[in-house]
Amino acid sequence: MDFEIVSRDHQTSARAGKITTAHGEIETPVFMPVGTAATVKCVHRRELEDDIDARIILGNTYHLYLRPGLEILEKAGGLHGFSGWNRALLTDSGGFQVFSLSSIRKLKEEGVHFRSHIDGSKHLFTPENVVDTQRIIGADIIMALDECTPGDADYNYARKSMELTVRWMKRGWEHFRNTTPRYGYEQAFFPIVQGCVYPELRRQSAEEAAALGAPGNAIGGLSVGEPAEKMYEMIEVVNEVLPDDKPRYLMGVGTPANILEGIERGIDMFDCVMPTRNGRNGMLFTRNGIMNMRNKKWESDYTPIEEGGASFVDTQYSKAYLRHLFVSGEFLAMQIASLHNLAFYLWLVREARKQIIAGTFKQWKIQMTERVTARL
């Protein structure tokens, strides 16, 4: 994997770059649609490729490991072969999913013991075997195993958790370097910075990650309950330490405003389930604000979902029609809303890139943040 910075904003830390993988080039800043279980919910592969031109999507190691399972994935030639997606893929390590299973998992030095949410069977993730699992899945970019601490964790818990993540990170990196890809193309390993909302811990974790010299770095454990301003503060602390010439991936974040704030602080990569999850529940993100499509105010509004919009969805369907689909419980409502929201998120990061290159990012970001946070 290669990364180059194409342009920088002179008023902020924002930058426009390009990541090159075996499955294509990715212009940054980039938003990665989340394909948890080998699919982006409610969205066809054709729509991802042709309608919104997604260059990279995310798969979930925990879910793919449990179902369909590694044997089936390996026989298919990895997730690319299994799903038919021929562009870039990133997989997380499963750490966040195991974090969310707090009642049925146990953390130990060797790794994390957990029970499947599907059938209750017992499993163990170690820093080494999650590398092996992601080798089999075959993503272009793979993640280190980490513990994701809650946003309200106290200092002592956060310190011990961060130190455990660092030890796991080093073990995972060593194992990655001593193993080879399975499908004839290179994979890139990203360590994950933890440390909750404590600058000292974040800085220490970032120093340990940077010292590995990996091709990129991720920032985890944010947008998990801490105030937004704390999240932005932690991004600034970490990005002072992480190497400038490597891509920085902010995991699981977030709202359009969160993404704009992250770009301003030097983040290159984002993912979040929000566009599809909220879309399935009737929330649409647009350039002019947020719409609840179940509201009666859209009942007889025959204007497009978003005039001059980012994809064919915006001009094909009216607000009145989409509201009708939602209140009628039609599955098409979830499809249209999910695709619209993804189209908007990808438009947002691509427009940010254009503004960075043009030297107008700062003012545009101020105006756009105010617009995208409005309630319509």
Side-chain angles (χ1 to χ4, degrees), residues 74-91:
E74 189 166 23
K75 286 180 179 178
L79 186 54
H80 285 100
F82 185 64
S83 67
W85 176 257
N86 292 316
R87 299 183 181 184
L89 282 167
L90 180 149
T91 43

Side-chain angles (χ1 to χ4, degrees), residues 286 288-292 295 297-298 319 371 374-376:
T286 77
N288 294 310
I290 300 167
M291 296 190 294
N292 180 348
N295 283 353
K297 67 184 294 185
W298 311 119
K319 298 181 182 75
R371 288 170 61 182
R375 293 277 177 168
L376 301 179

